[in-house]
Amino acid sequence: VLYFNYCCPWAHRTLLVHGLKGLEDIVRLVEVDSRDQVHGWWFSGRRGPDRDPLYGGRFMKDLYQRADPNYNGRVTVPMLWDTKYETIVNNESSEIMRMFSEAFDDFLPLEKQERNKGDAALVPQHLQKQLDVLNKWVYDTINNGVYKAGFASSQGVYKEHVTRLFQSLDQLEYHLGEGEHYPYLFGEHITEADIRLYPTIVRFDVVYYTLFKCNMKMIRLDYPRIHEWLRRLYWNEGLESAGGVFRKTTNFEEIKRGYTSVAAGNGIIPAGPVPHILPL
Ligand SMILES: N[C@@H](CCC(=O)N[C@@H](CS)C(=O)NCC(=O)O)C(=O)O
């Protein structure tokens, strides 16, 4: 079972691989509601079930404590639960992504198995190094960069991270302009790099620009190539996106609600931007 929330960008990347690989009948998805101030993620019934479908608890914390009764750390989504051994398999999204890419292949039709996909694999062998390099700076300065800017404790720290963030977006804009990096980050097929970048970019104009003060430029106005890349993924209904996985896993209302509750204090959900994403 994968426990997730639509607001969370780290959960989002695991949902994308889950959908792209067609794991619906193998790994069940369970949505948890936004964090309760005291108990954290919970089963509210507003979104997802009103009890944990496995054990009947109200809070995700209960599952972490079932796995380890002395557990005192953060209770985070995404979290992958093993129903047979009744414990947590993993709660680190980058590792869950790799598990979803390959570990269930024996249960999938031949054409969905990574080893048979050649250049169309999510992590094609010939790109492994380049993916690792790009993933690293994208993670440090973009995926996590928006958080570093948004939660900066001083003007100086904010300035440093927001500057680095926009330098990296500039660099990505340049990257997408190189012929072999079109239409996706590494050419004609969607790779892990696209999946890791998408959750941050689709949230950018909608929440990070305002709530995390990442407002030196907007994707839709200032980054034509990134903007086109984003819309191509979002609006793709074809085989490559398993019939629209990017759009189906993007829930703008939940994204705005979730970030408003953590970032902006008074709980008022912003009305815009209108539209949340432009047509292609
Ligand atoms: N290392 C984790 C980070 C996940 C994470 O930070 N999730 C956030 C939501 S976006 C969370 O659950 N936070 C709850 C908390 O820290 O109490 C991953 O990438 O999977």
Side-chain angles (χ1 to χ4, degrees):
V1 174
L2 180 76
Y3 292 92
F4 76 98
N5 174 275
Y6 278 117
C7 173
C8 175
W10 315 106
H12 197 172
R13 39 159 76 171
T14 63
L15 284 181
L16 290 169
V17 184
H18 182 272
L20 289 171
K21 290 288 296 189
L23 297 179
E24 294 78 9
D25 296 332
I26 299 168
V27 179
R28 175 176 175 187
L29 300 176
V30 175
E31 184 176 355
V32 295
D33 201 351
S34 309
R35 273 174 276 174
D36 170 85
Q37 295 233 321
V38 181
H39 301 288
W41 302 109
W42 67 306
F43 302 94
S44 71
R46 181 189 71 87
R47 303 284 319 177
D50 65 356
R51 300 269 163 184
D52 174 18
L54 295 182
Y55 304 103
R58 296 303 312 272
F59 307 107
M60 233 183 62
K61 189 177 71 183
D62 301 339
L63 286 157
Y64 276 76
Q65 281 175 351
R66 181 175 285 266
D68 173 3
N70 297 318
Y71 188 76
N72 251 324
R74 291 171 67 204
V75 172
T76 57
V77 288
M79 187 269 269
L80 183 62
W81 181 267
D82 188 323
T83 49
K84 188 161 162 207
Y85 292 100
E86 303 200 85
T87 193
I88 294 174
V89 183
N90 204 307
N91 69 348
E92 169 51 44
S93 58
S94 55
E95 292 172 17
I96 297 173
M97 285 177 81
R98 293 262 169 130
M99 288 176 180
F100 282 178
S101 306
E102 292 166 14
F104 298 93
D105 273 3
D106 287 345
F107 304 104
L108 294 175
L110 289 174
E111 73 277 8
K112 288 266 185 194
Q113 299 180 1
E114 289 306 284
R115 55 182 168 267
N116 297 328
K117 282 166 59 184
D119 287 356
L122 293 177
V123 185
Q125 218 154 23
H126 70 289
L127 289 175
Q128 229 153 31
K129 276 222 177 71
Q130 293 179 63
L131 282 169
D132 285 345
V133 171
L134 187 103
N135 285 343
K136 169 133 186 39
W137 64 260
V138 164
Y139 173 79
D140 285 341
T141 61
I142 300 180
N143 301 141
N144 212 17
V146 294
Y147 281 87
K148 291 178 188 164
F151 288 103
S153 54
S154 73
Q155 195 67 42
V157 172
Y158 162 74
K159 180 82 199 285
E160 179 190 330
H161 292 302
V162 86
T163 306
R164 228 181 265 162
L165 164 66
F166 283 96
Q167 280 168 352
S168 285
L169 289 173
D170 292 349
Q171 193 171 334
L172 269 183
E173 181 72 9
Y174 178 82
H175 173 101
L176 283 165
E178 296 172 314
E180 75 274 25
H181 297 149
Y182 178 89
Y184 301 112
L185 286 169
F186 283 100
E188 63 175 306
H189 300 291
I190 293 173
T191 64
E192 186 188 62
D194 298 288
I195 299 170
R196 291 174 61 123
L197 182 63
Y198 174 86
T200 302
I201 302 299
V202 82
R203 283 163 179 70
F204 201 91
D205 293 353
V206 177
V207 285
Y208 300 143
Y209 183 88
T210 46
L211 299 174
F212 280 8
K213 306 185 183 77
C214 298
N215 61 355
M216 287 158 79
K217 296 181 187 176
M218 263 191 154
I219 301 296
R220 64 184 62 191
L221 298 179
D222 303 299
Y223 290 108
R225 292 192 191 108
I226 301 177
H227 189 210
E228 193 187 331
W229 166 89
L230 170 69
R231 288 174 299 152
R232 198 179 301 112
L233 288 172
Y234 182 88
W235 295 109
N236 188 326
E237 297 282 333
L239 260 188
E240 182 136 57
S241 73
V245 154
F246 289 87
R247 185 176 50 72
K248 289 178 192 159
T249 54
T250 304
N251 184 329
F252 288 114
E253 293 307 330
E254 284 306 303
I255 288 170
K256 293 203 294 190
R257 166 193 277 268
Y259 278 98
T260 302
S261 69
V262 292
N266 71 358
I268 306 292
I269 300 167
V274 182
H276 290 129
I277 186 163
L278 287 160
L280 195 55

